[in-house]
Amino acid sequence: MNQLTGGRIVTNMALSLDGHYAAPDNPLDMSWVMPYAVSDVARDHLTSLWETATTALLGRVNAEGFLGFWPTVIGMEGADPRDEGFAKWLVDTDKVVLSSTLHTAPWERTTIVNKPAAQVADDLKGTRGGDILVLSSASVIKALLGAGKVDRLALTVFPVLLGGGPRLFDDGLPSSKWTLVSRTTGEDGTLALVYDRLH
């Protein structure tokens, strides 16, 4: 696929070294991520993803977390410019939230959709010019991987063993081949990886 073509489905997820995206005892506790998420590697990685995206695709839980926190970063004293840039993008960009329980969006520029993730991805690819960025919503990313709908897979691997918890890559995914388009290593051991699906 042409690198300059818009409308790619780009997924971004943080993983532990042993392949988990959340701790076993409390899936909502992301404290293990925080020391590494503020590194230059992690911030630059996220910046490179949202700069080409015109739509954010989120599950409901992540939408509530992201949209509850990130707007508060705008204008925050001492905020890293990259964090503030992402926060502004998130507020200003079109957002699509997958939910069967929400009926009206409490956020601006947000559409609530109660459809399978793969169908929503197809709909968005047909109407959007830039990338569609799926932000850390594991259930959405798993569904898109299972349906073969991910064009670009971005991973940040943090040097932590969680010893259990949910995995992003479950058994039974359709086989596929990918090419590594970028990799960056941080001084703290963080690894930012971007793979494009070979079509």
Side-chain angles (χ1 to χ4, degrees):
M1 179 176 282
N2 187 322
Q3 299 277 326
L4 300 175
T5 302
R8 292 176 302 191
I9 300 295
V10 180
T11 62
N12 185 44
M13 186 57 113
L15 296 177
S16 64
L17 203 54
D18 53 348
H20 302 283
Y21 62 82
D25 47 349
N26 182 3
L28 296 179
D29 176 19
M30 297 303 287
S31 60
W32 64 276
V33 166
M34 296 318 296
Y36 306 99
V38 296
S39 66
D40 284 338
V41 166
R43 282 175 163 145
D44 290 344
H45 172 75
L46 183 57
T47 300
S48 72
L49 298 175
W50 67 255
E51 282 183 335
T52 56
T54 54
T55 307
L57 179 58
L58 297 145
R60 181 188 59 81
V61 173
N62 269 58
E64 290 173 343
F66 271 69
L67 295 166
F69 168 72
W70 281 103
T72 67
V73 173
I74 300 170
M76 183 185 290
E77 187 175 343
D80 186 282
R82 292 165 293 188
D83 291 346
E84 201 164 3
F86 172 69
K88 288 177 180 174
W89 173 82
L90 188 61
V91 168
D92 292 340
T93 200
D94 291 331
K95 292 167 283 291
V96 177
V97 176
L98 298 178
S99 176
S100 58
T101 56
L102 278 180
H103 301 292
T104 56
W107 314 288
E108 292 182 5
R109 300 193 67 151
T110 304
T111 305
I112 306 294
V113 181
N114 183 11
K115 291 180 184 176
Q119 184 181 338
V120 173
D122 283 342
D123 291 347
L124 290 174
K125 286 185 78 164
T127 59
R128 306 293 162 129
D131 291 339
I132 297 107
L133 179 57
V134 187
L135 289 163
S136 306
S137 294
S139 61
V140 177
I141 296 172
K142 284 184 173 195
L144 293 173
L145 284 169
K149 299 295 183 181
V150 177
D151 300 306
R152 172 164 281 190
L153 181 64
L155 301 169
T156 319
V157 181
F158 296 134
V160 177
L161 296 176
L162 290 178
R167 293 184 177 277
L168 183 63
F169 303 110
D170 292 327
D171 288 348
L173 288 174
S175 61
S176 54
K177 290 189 176 181
W178 301 75
T179 182
L180 182 66
V181 293
S182 75
R183 67 181 182 275
T184 314
T185 309
E187 292 179 3
D188 62 0
T190 294
L191 194 59
L193 304 167
V194 179
Y195 290 91
D196 277 353
R197 186 185 178 103
L198 293 172
H199 292 276

